[in-house]
Each structure stands twice: as structure tokens, then as C-alpha cells.
Amino acid sequence: MSTSQVSFSDVSKVFALRVDNQVQKISALKSVNFEVGKSEIVTLIGPSGCGKTTALRILMGLETASRGSVVVAGKAVKGCGYDRGLVFQHAELLPWLTALQNVMFGLELKGMRGNELKDTAMRYLDLVGLKDAANRRPYQLSGGMKQRVGIARALAIDPEVLLMDEPFGALDAQTRESLQGELLEIQARSKKTIVFVTHDLDEAVLLADRIIVMRNGSVQEIIKVDLPRPRGDLGTLRGSKEFAETRYVVWKALHSAEQQRH
Amino acid sequence: MSPTSTPVAAPSAASDEPVTVAREVPAWMITTLSVVFFIGLWEFFGHGVDPIFGSYPSAIAEAGWDLLKSGVLGRALWQSMQAFLVGYGLSVIVGVPLGLLIGRSRFLEAALGVFITGAYAMPLVALVPFLVLLLGLGFAVKASVVFLMAVFPIVINTWLGVRAVPKTLIEVGKSFVASDFTILRRIVLPATIPYIMAGIKLAVGRGVVAMVIAEFFTAISGLGGIIINSANNFDTARMFVPVIVLMVLATALNGLVGWVERRVAPWQTEMSGRDGN
């Protein structure tokens, strides 16, 4: 793919685990290959321990691949960089900073100063609908609001690719659904490339252009989602036949992955 | 059969409902009553004891007034406080950065950790004569003894605090390409403040004890000097004056540190279940 934003070529990861004075080698990723096109949303799905989070962490540069290479926007990944923004599983806001200061944190490290810094942070806080909560600290925010700040913080540095590690997994169903809708709206406007890790089947289908089903550290299947984009009203979409059909295809892929595992 | 749903009328707005705020006895009132009760007990039972073996609050107050009037107490307090403040201040200035570095560096932790843990349990009383030999009998030895007693709880608490910083918070810094120093200053340090403050509070008590020990051994000066002189003269009431002054002082310093903590880390007290008062 010429417009490829992210490409994994033959990526493997082996962890050394010390159990009772014996070093065990755990193969977390086995020769993983996939590409993500520009402005595409790709979800990685699979049971826990399948390697989806490891793949995301290698893409972010928090972990290094044992073999193979990861390329983002034409550059090989070596450690973290401002071309990638990570949204953490539990938001991980800095508790001593206000919502605004949390968004400013990444921008400041990127080198932005003065009025531009504050205005940019405020703009992104507004984007996630939290302009009025700018001066609240994390303990004064609900779980959904925290994750909104987390998204604003990652988007503010204007990365090429937005990486999301089960960001809505800990939220209640209603909050999760409204955040899924907001994320799609933000993506429709910003055209960001998104790599999204989840274990939620509905979420994977709702958000993705393509779904990568993982099993035991390998890519089991890549499923193209033929739902219209923009997705429109997610409630209506959930009730549609196309959604149910895609969901069933992914479910089968996951299910066969489970069976082969046992 | 298809599922049915019945709409339910929305409840009216709750803005005019009465709000009840629990009325509690303030903590300072409980503390005051507790102190008054204890002093009352001591006064009541203390009169029956031989004045050589014990004393009671009104006699101590009288002795305290005499010491204050003659200027002895003020002079001794100033002598002691100078040494205390220098030693204690140094222990904070050295202890916090040292704890941060040891907590962050696997190498420093392995190289220095063993000395810190060992030195924390060091019987400092045994070393005072040696320090006197090195530094003489004056101000320097007092400040050093205070420093040596106070610095280790600060280092150890800071160190433990750094170890307790969640890995994911460090990764937030890494994900924004922060340098090690930036992560230390902007993530590790603020996240460790509650531990640092606990260490600084522990160090107050140890520092005060260290100061008195140093004064016992060195010059007959300061509050420790009054204690040892009065004890040698079997003047028990007079001996208790500096003891009580020191206890009040340590409590006040603890309160001061708590106040500073609420100023520099307001999120901490508000996040925990109880307020910091």
C-alpha cells in the first residue's frame, strides 16, 4: 500500500520470564505483518494474552521488537516520538495537574510555549467537550471525562497516528457508547489514522475499517468492515443487518481462534 | 411477542431539596480537651509524688516562668534551634534528591541502598563522642548529629515513594518523549510528595531527639544543657521545662510541615478519604 501510515513487517517479541530460578521464554508476538493506511481506523482484537497490547506498545516505542521492523509515516520506530500519540487504558492523567495542564503537558514537552500553548490545549479540551472543566483536577472528573482529557492530551501534539489501548474498557456502557460516537466524529474531521486495541466485539465492528483478529501472538485473520463511513447514528447502526453480519464474521474468527488455542 | 417498554414520568428537579451537612465536633476541640484532661490528671495525681522522683504541671509552669524571666530558657532555645534548623534543613536538602536518585537508578540503589538502610539503624549515641573528637564541642557537632539522625528517614521515605510511582505514569512521560530528568522533575517528584512529607515529618522527631543527645554530650548549653543540669541537681520540675518545650516545638513543626504539604500538594489531601486537619 503506497499510502501506508503504519507497517509491521515480520515483527516478533520474546519476553524472558524468570519462574523459580528458571528463565522461560515467552513468545508474545510471532512474525506479525499488517499495514494501516492513512486515515484508516484499525482495531486489534483478541483474547487477553494474544499480543494485541504488546503490538501497540512496540508501535508506540515503549517496547522494542525482538525481530522485524515497524515503520510509521516512512520512518522506522525507535523509541517514542511525536508522530504517535498514546491514549492509555485508564487515562493516566497526572493527578496534580488540572485538565488543561494535563493537555498542556505533552505540548510543553514538544516545545510549545506561551499563549500558543494554552490556546492549543484549550482548543483540544473544547474538541472533547470539556472546556468548562478546564480547571478541575482528575479526582474531580468522572471516568468518561478523564478519558476525554486523555484523548485530548494525545491529539494535542498532532500525531500522525493515534494509538488507543482499550481506552473505553473500564467505562460503563452508556459512557462508552457516547465516547465511541465522539471518537468517530473527531476522526471524521481530523482524518487521523487510528490503531485501536479492544476486546469488545461490538466496539471493534463499530469503529473499524478493518479488524485484525489476533491469536497466540499471531495475526489470525484480517476482516474488512463494509459499513458506510461516516458511520452516522451508532444506535441505528447497531440495529442494522449489516452490523449483525459483520459482528458474526468477527465472532466466528475469534471463536475459531479460541478453539485452536485449547 | 415483541418486547414492550413503558415510559415513566421524569422526576422533578432536585434543586429545592434540603441539603444536610453533617455537624461534627472539630478535631482541634477534641485535641484541646484531650490535652486539658491529661494535664488535669497529672496535676491531681502528681502532688502525691516525692518532688525528686516526679513533678506536676503547676510546679513545672512555675519553674518555666523562672527560667523564662531570667532569660535562660530563651537563650538555650535559641542555641538549640540554630543547630536544629541547620542540621534539619541540610537533611531535607540532601535527603530528598538523594532518595529520588536512589529510587530511580538501579545502580545507585544497589551501590548506596545498603549504606542508607544500615545507617538508619545506626546507634548514633555511640558515635557522638567520635564526632566530638572530629568536630569539637560547638555548633558544628550539634548540627551534624541532627543531620545524621534526620537525613535517613527522609532518604528512605523518598526512595520508597519513588518505587511506588505507577509505571504507567512514567510511561506517560516517555510517550511524550520526556528526558529522564524531565520525568524525574515533572512526574516522579510530584508523585512522591506524600512520601517525602511523611519522611520530613518523621525527621522532626528524630532531629529533636538528636539535638538533645548532642547537647548532653557536648557543651553544657541549649535545652539539653538545662535538662542535664537540672537532673544533676535533682530539680525535677525544672528538668521537665525543656522536655515540654521540645514536645510542643516538635508538634508545632509537624503542624507546619502538614500546612506546607497542603499548600504544595493540595490534590493529595482532597483525594484521600480524610481531610488533612
Side-chain angles (χ1 to χ4, degrees), chain B residues 58-73 241:
Chain B
S58 56
I60 297 167
E62 209 178 305
W65 176 243
D66 286 344
L67 280 171
L68 198 65
K69 232 175 19 186
S70 62
V72 174
L73 187 63
V241 173

Side-chain angles (χ1 to χ4, degrees), chain A residues 53-252:
Chain A
T53 294
T54 306
L56 194 80
R57 287 175 61 83
I58 290 175
L59 175 54
M60 187 61 222
L62 290 172
E63 215 88 66
T64 51
S66 310
R67 193 155 51 80
S69 70
V70 179
V71 176
V72 171
K75 274 186 293 183
V77 167
K78 269 198 192 123
C80 300
Y82 297 112
D83 52 348
R84 284 150 289 148
L86 178 60
V87 179
F88 289 78
Q89 194 171 357
H90 300 287
E92 305 300 346
L93 304 182
L94 303 177
W96 49 90
L97 300 180
T98 64
L100 182 68
Q101 288 167 334
N102 264 289
V103 179
M104 283 161 59
F105 183 77
L107 285 169
E108 249 181 293
L109 288 177
K110 202 184 171 186
M112 203 182 268
R113 295 285 180 272
N115 282 340
E116 193 194 3
L117 171 65
K118 209 172 169 187
D119 294 346
T120 310
M122 206 53 170
R123 206 170 65 239
Y124 279 94
L125 215 48
D126 195 20
L127 184 75
V128 295
L130 284 181
K131 206 177 174 182
D132 294 334
N135 292 322
R136 292 208 210 165
R137 288 183 202 277
Y139 65 91
Q140 298 164 320
L141 300 170
S142 69
M145 291 162 108
K146 276 185 207 161
Q147 201 47 284
R148 284 194 175 93
V149 178
I151 293 170
R153 180 175 67 183
L155 278 175
I157 59 165
D158 196 22
E160 298 277 343
V161 187
L162 188 64
L163 312 185
M164 307 183 83
D165 184 11
E166 300 187 29
F168 309 147
L171 305 175
D172 62 88
Q174 280 81 8
T175 308
R176 188 187 313 151
E177 282 168 25
S178 59
L179 275 169
Q180 286 162 350
E182 282 173 40
L183 180 67
L184 284 176
E185 271 172 40
I186 290 169
Q187 197 272 342
R189 266 182 286 157
S190 64
K191 303 282 179 235
K192 282 274 177 261
T193 309
I194 299 178
V195 179
F196 193 108
V197 167
T198 183
H199 55 246
D200 184 307
L201 189 48
D202 287 18
E203 185 167 78
V205 178
L206 278 177
L207 298 178
D209 295 303
R210 282 186 305 143
I211 298 171
I212 297 177
V213 180
M214 293 190 69
R215 167 184 66 93
N216 259 355
S218 326
V219 174
Q220 151 103 358
E221 209 170 322
I222 298 182
I223 297 163
K224 191 157 171 39
V225 180
D226 277 321
L227 294 173
R229 180 158 315 277
R231 291 283 148 94
D233 180 49
L234 290 183
T236 317
L237 189 72
R238 274 173 194 275
S240 73
K241 199 165 135 263
E242 293 77 12
F243 176 80
E245 279 167 356
T246 316
R247 192 183 184 283
Y248 184 60
V249 171
V250 182
W251 181 84
K252 268 198 303 191

